[in-house]
Amino acid sequence: PPWPGRLPPPSPAVVLPAPLAATVHDAAGEPVGVSARLQLTATPARLAVGAARPVEIVGWAGPWPVDERWWSPAEARRRARFQVCLADGAALLLAVESGQWLVEAIYD
């Protein structure tokens, strides 16, 4: 059977050595979050990476949950991954962990 939480193909072309901080906002400019039950607080509409200007999100998929080292509370990590396509043609793999959005990888 398929691996739970596995991303669908294709795989990203570039995995960043260190994730980039990002923000995701809805159409009204409010931050988008993910609940403990993996529900989005709003539909993602814009993405800003670092201090760059926001870019419109034209398509997205996810979440794919990642629950790492759940057996060791001191080392456990929970996050959700999303694939997004932007109006400028970029396609990115995002993760949200503890309320912080990150760009983890870039699709070709």
Side-chain angles (χ1 to χ4, degrees):
W3 175 31
R6 179 183 68 155
L7 292 172
S11 295
V14 176
V15 176
L16 301 173
L20 303 173
T23 56
V24 176
H25 291 93
D26 65 13
E30 295 296 319
V32 175
V34 179
S35 75
R37 292 183 178 246
L38 299 171
Q39 299 295 316
L40 288 168
T41 59
T43 301
R46 285 187 286 289
L47 169 74
V49 179
R53 293 177 52 125
V55 179
E56 181 184 1
I57 296 172
V58 296
W60 62 277
W64 291 280
V66 180
D67 200 1
E68 296 176 329
R69 303 190 64 81
W70 52 267
W71 61 88
S72 176
E75 300 172 349
R77 285 179 72 187
R78 262 189 103 196
R79 64 185 163 205
R81 288 192 169 123
F82 294 83
Q83 294 168 321
V84 296
C85 293
L86 305 177
D88 65 5
L92 306 172
L93 178 65
L94 304 180
V96 63
E97 182 177 359
S98 299
Q100 174 64 55
W101 288 90
L102 302 165
V103 178
E104 291 188 329
I106 302 167
Y107 290 92
D108 226 67

